[in-house]
Amino acid sequence: MSPKEEKTRFLIVGTVIGAIILAFLYQLVFIQITQGEAYKRKVTQGYTRTQTVVAARGEIVDRYGRPFTINRISLDIILDQAYLPEGQTNQVIVELITLLESLDQDWIDNLPISEPAIGSDGAPHYQFLPEMEIQVSRLKTDLGLAPYATADDCMWNMCSAAYYDLDPREDDKPGEREWASDPATQRKLAGVRYEMAQQNFGYKNNYTFARDVSNLVATNVQERSFALPGVDVVQSTVREFSDGTIAPHIVGITGPLYREDMESLRDQGLWWSEDNQQGYRGSDTIGRSGIEAAYENILRGKNGERQITLNAQHQVVDVTEVVPPTPGGTVVLTLDRDLQKVTQEALADQIAILRQNTTINEGRDANAGAAVCVDVKTGDILAAATFPSYDNSTYYEDYNELSRQKPEPYLNRATMGVYRPGSTYKPCVATAGLAEGVIEASETVLCTGVYTRLDPYLPRCLYVNGNIDVRHALQVSCNIFFYETGWRLGIDLQNEYAKHFGLGNYTGIEIPEAKGQLSSRATREAVGDTWNNGDIIQSAIGQLDHGFTPVQLAGYTATLASDGERRQLHLVKSVRSYGFQEVVEETQPEVIDQVPADKETFQVVREGMIAASLPGGTSAASWYEFPYTVASKTGTPESLDNLTSTYICYMPAEDPQIAIAVVIEDGGQGYTGAPVARKIADQYFFGNAEKETVTTPNALLP
């Protein structure tokens, strides 16, 4: 290469290097001077993130605005996938568990597997927790294991790399995962990771690690945020109860979302997405039963959004509420909380009394029942009690124990219990007989104690009543009179009137209920039996295949009181805005059927039912010195080896205000339910005088 060529090459290289240096200098000047302030703001301002502001759940109150449910602000510890370092989820969880243990703070762990016990082989072994059969079955299904899989099998699967990767591997760096060799830590991790999977934890769904922690715990977690990436403390609301023992079946319960819930919500288009900001997330709760479930859409409210700005040191420098949350609506029930409490106590007390020093016929084996009180003029259900019951405040803590208890505390017998009505059905047959003209008000039937029309089938009456008319037959509950009336009507006419009274069919109340059934040829044949003439007369006294809920019996009684006008029954009086200022919807009284009988017919039946509450009647003792006229009817349907007690009444008979139905399983004679009705009536008429002076929000809501 000649000197000239070499000089030229050095010149070219120098020029290129100079151009590069100039370019860097220009960029440096541009960044530091021209764009310096903008970059400085970015460095000092940090970054922003958007959080969902969960709307307060609407409350459930009684007809006077007194709360059944209340909301309390709580602090929850959550995991946010977006800020969890990749591959370090288990390490972060262990750090968090260690911190919470030092603070004596529990966290969510529903895994139905025991802590490890070291066996003779030196290996850890596990057991399924007792009384968690449903959860164990779900766990095996989720892990793809056979029904006979052991707890050890389940833990082995969860520890594997295919699931939660809780075992150390040969290629791990020394000391990187010492925690994984600790079986106790593996068990804790498995509990958290399994629950995270159940709640579909991911970038779009945060996981609630611990709920309702103390301020001390929250502060410690926040102070250690540098060592707990992806861990945050957020505000939420806790559902509480003014008294969880009052109307728990009706109010209902809320609970967390599980995998099957998420799948169902996705199918309904109710799951969260970028286009559906109001959708459910894995950390949400949902109504599980009662009004909480039936009015979920109204109670849930609409979530808001807030934008949080943090500086480079991850300190919050600004919080802006972009979209304010809208609290859920307030559901105003038709229930009177005081009356509901008295009804529950009266039912429980009466069952306790019957179990002491009585015979089977007097209710010695009584152990369950229900009582319902209805406003005759509106169809409002004022009280609906069931026994045995439970406490909503400790629902989840008590669930495993109470779910195995017999009789079942979680069964809402007022709406789901189906019972033969016994002689409480006789007013329906009397109404039908008089309306159809198969009997006259003054006509008598000879009661010799034995009904001989269907000889050799010879059903009996408890007494020999001689010549007896419909009023006296209702007073003393004469079977012979109603055998004959039922025979003349036939089963089809009996059932036609029963349907008008709303018996054996859904009432249309706002929470789940049983339909019940009426005796008929089809019903009998459906169970593989043969219909015969004796079934016609047994049906007429409320036996055979008749099965009605206590709510149906109360509605039927209210219809008797209203001269055949059947009103729609309701548990919800209205829906209001969270602060009671606005009425969102309101339930109006509605007549949905009319029994085809005139007022004179109902007056005759009323006179017979009044006589049943007077001396010589089947429940006279319970109404001694009661200042209002009571129309009533007892029933004693057979139930296997025991007798079920059924009782209906309404009052004042001249201008009815309330109708009551009481059912006591194995309660013996029908009159054993009358003391419950008396206590309900005493509370309704004489226990609420102070409510006249109560003001909003505890005033009677229109």
Side-chain angles (χ1 to χ4, degrees), residues 414-437:
T415 63
M416 299 298 290
V418 178
Y419 305 94
R420 287 177 177 170
S423 294
T424 60
Y425 187 63
K426 290 175 179 175
C428 172
V429 175
T431 302
L434 291 166
E436 293 295 319

Side-chain angles (χ1 to χ4, degrees), residues 667-684:
Q669 300 295 325
Y671 57 75
T672 64
V676 178
R678 173 64 187 264
K679 289 182 179 179
I680 295 171
D682 283 341
Q683 172 64 23
Y684 178 84

